[in-house]
Amino acid sequence: MSSTERTPRVGDQRRIPTVELGNNGPVVGIQGLGCMGMSWAYGPTDSDEARATLERALELGVTLYDTADVYGAGENEKFLSPFVKAHRDEIVLATKFAIGSDPGDPTKRVIRNDPAYIRTCIDASLQRLGVDSVDLYYMHRRDPKVPIEESVGAMAELVDAGKVKHLGLSEVTAAELRAAHTVHPIAAVQSEWSLFSRDIERSVVPAAAELGVALVPYSPLGRGFLTGAFVSADKELADDDFRRQQPRFTGDNAAANAALLDPVRQIADAHGASLGQVALAWVQQQAGAFGLAVVPIPGTRKRTRVEENTEATRIVLTDEERELLEPIAAKVSGDRYADMTATSAGRE
């Protein structure tokens, strides 16, 4: 049996440990749940199974639930609303603003960070979610034309108004994080961080550690590629799957990157684990390597996967295993987005 076919290591299903999300931030399970795919981006979904996945995650101690207004043009927030209202005191709800449609061409996206837009976005998100406040409100992407101090100042006003409890930023540079933190404490920075994507380790992660800001890695499973679930997005995934637009998952890049999974497979065999569990264990252990809280938010729509993912929090990789995984990121072919200008790496 290959590692991709191996039954994932799943133990007694205890609740996962907790950690504080940044200095004075909310206490959450050390693994969260990315909810985007339940409504958008990764092809057809089973809504009933997705709802059951939300409930199962909570049973396992997952308390940080991540969405955004852009996911399905607000549909993901609406989808989460019944679950959020049923468990409001048990969960930490995170959503985001900044990515919208161009009024002149709805097929094009624009990034907006101006205060008026921020105030409009939070009210719309609260209405869709059916709550009075969100626990963590992220700036999803950065518009360099608007001073970050101005944007974070507007976000801080939402805290004063009781609409938001904590602030977060996504895909910001170290300099942007420092500037933002002078205006209002930032609880968390969200960025892609995985065995395939490590650019934030150069400056963003050290800055976050220095400031007492948590890291919330999105796509810690390389959008599923690190699990061995697919090799070529353009040949294996649905036409409307977002991953078909990402260079590293298509064409010659995909074939070259699939070969990089061999050491992950080797370690998975040694632990009786799946490839995905090894990838999640690696990113979780970056907390100790850099001295900050790390709460990855792998996305899934299936109960069995959330059980598999949470079990990864109990896998401890040896120094030798981490050394075996160390060279992977430098060998990856293709960028994580076709256009990297909206990422922190694209501005540093």
Side-chain angles (χ1 to χ4, degrees):
M1 179 183 291
S2 70
S3 294
T4 54
E5 297 169 325
R6 177 182 294 278
T7 300
R9 168 178 161 172
V10 179
D12 61 8
Q13 297 301 302
R14 294 165 293 162
R15 289 175 65 86
I16 61 175
T18 59
V19 68
E20 188 176 34
L21 201 63
N23 290 345
N24 302 312
V27 174
V28 298
I30 60 172
Q31 186 181 110
L33 181 62
C35 300
M36 178 181 75
M38 294 180 175
S39 307
W40 181 68
Y42 294 147
T45 185
D46 180 336
S47 295
D48 290 339
E49 177 62 19
R51 291 187 189 95
T53 299
L54 295 171
E55 297 286 350
R56 184 62 177 136
L58 185 58
E59 291 174 354
L60 295 171
V62 174
T63 55
L64 177 62
Y65 292 78
D66 184 270
T67 183
D69 59 4
V70 71
Y71 298 161
E75 290 303 313
N76 194 236
E77 289 179 324
K78 292 178 183 177
F79 173 79
L80 287 177
S81 178
F83 171 77
V84 169
K85 288 188 284 189
H87 301 286
R88 191 65 193 96
D89 295 335
E90 302 171 79
I91 70 169
V92 173
L93 173 64
T95 192
K96 316 178 196 74
F97 75 90
I99 304 177
S101 298
D102 184 339
D105 184 353
T107 64
K108 293 183 179 179
R109 288 188 177 172
V110 294
I111 297 175
R112 291 185 60 181
N113 292 173
D114 54 285
Y117 180 74
I118 294 170
R119 289 190 285 269
T120 298
C121 285
I122 186 59
D123 288 341
S125 285
L126 292 176
Q127 182 175 13
R128 285 188 292 265
L129 289 161
V131 295
D132 296 327
S133 67
V134 296
D135 302 299
L136 180 59
Y137 198 44
Y138 287 102
M139 176 192 295
H140 203 167
R141 291 293 185 271
R142 175 88 179 94
D143 177 6
K145 297 188 297 296
V146 181
I148 197 163
E149 295 87 349
E150 183 177 327
S151 302
V152 175
M155 295 169 71
E157 291 175 2
L158 303 181
V159 177
D160 293 338
K163 296 180 179 182
V164 171
K165 295 180 181 177
H166 303 279
L167 302 185
L169 303 170
S170 179
E171 290 287 359
V172 292
T173 66
E176 290 165 347
L177 172 58
R178 292 181 191 281
H181 202 69
T182 63
V183 178
H184 189 279
I186 303 299
V189 166
Q190 187 173 130
S191 191
E192 187 165 353
W193 197 8
S194 73
L195 285 169
F196 269 25
S197 300
R198 299 182 59 180
D199 50 78
I200 63 169
E201 293 178 19
R202 288 193 296 268
S203 60
V204 177
V205 174
E210 176 190 330
L211 297 170
V213 176
L215 248 294
V216 177
Y218 71 81
S219 299
L221 295 173
R223 300 191 185 276
F225 195 87
L226 286 167
T227 70
F230 69 98
V231 173
S232 178
D234 46 355
K235 295 178 181 179
E236 299 176 52
L237 302 182
D239 290 345
D240 60 349
D241 195 302
F242 170 69
R243 290 167 290 187
R244 291 171 64 97
Q245 304 171 27
Q246 296 182 294
R248 62 179 47 168
F249 303 139
T250 58
D252 292 341
N253 287 342
N257 292 336
L260 300 178
L261 298 180
D262 287 345
V264 186
R265 195 169 283 111
Q266 175 184 333
I267 295 168
D269 285 339
H271 284 268
S274 67
L275 275 72
Q277 286 175 323
V278 172
L280 285 172
W282 176 86
V283 78
Q284 195 77 68
Q285 285 182 233
Q286 294 298 83
F290 285 93
L292 79 172
V294 175
V295 182
I297 49 168
T300 185
R301 301 174 286 192
K302 297 179 180 179
R303 283 168 286 182
T304 54
R305 291 300 184 198
V306 83
E307 291 169 356
E308 175 184 344
N309 292 345
T310 53
E311 184 65 18
T313 64
R314 298 181 236 289
I315 296 175
V316 178
L317 304 178
T318 66
D319 291 342
E320 291 76 14
E321 288 169 338
R322 289 174 59 80
E323 288 176 7
L324 193 61
L325 298 171
E326 184 65 24
I328 291 176
K331 299 177 182 179
V332 172
S333 299
D335 284 330
R336 47 195 178 98
Y337 292 102
D339 181 357
M340 289 285 287
T341 58
T343 67
S344 58
R347 295 192 305 280
E348 284 193 324

